[in-house]
Amino acid sequence: MNRIYAGWRLMGVDGVSFTAPATPGNIRAFGLPKGGDTAQSTGGFPLVSKVSLVELGSHVEYAIALRSQAQGKRQSPGVW
């Protein structure tokens, strides 16, 4: 069921962060988060952020953007 308001489809933006398995491919793609006792310390698992553009009626994801949290909390350019 589509949600319509004044002729517009209602959409929302939702985000989530999660850990990924520490496989060689995931570490290459997402890196390991920085932090710990020394400047060279890293976390044990890659941290991934996902932002989704979702239709509110059907909950269909129309667009997603994934990025590593090893880069810090900067804005992702050109998500949509």
Side-chain angles (χ1 to χ4, degrees):
M1 166 168 56
N2 290 336
R3 301 280 183 200
I4 304 292
Y5 176 77
W8 293 84
R9 181 184 301 174
L10 297 180
M11 306 292 277
V13 176
D14 188 25
V16 66
S17 297
F18 54 93
T19 57
T23 64
N26 284 343
I27 292 171
R28 272 193 310 276
F30 300 110
L32 293 172
K34 306 290 186 240
D37 294 338
T38 68
Q40 293 79 26
S41 296
T42 60
F45 297 95
L47 293 175
V48 182
S49 293
K50 181 185 96 161
V51 178
S52 303
L53 177 66
V54 181
E55 184 186 38
L56 297 181
S58 66
H59 300 151
V60 170
E61 286 184 304
Y62 281 88
I64 66 167
L66 298 173
R67 75 183 286 277
S68 168
Q69 284 191 5
Q71 301 169 11
K73 295 266 183 182
R74 296 178 297 201
Q75 290 184 336
S76 295
V79 171
W80 311 116

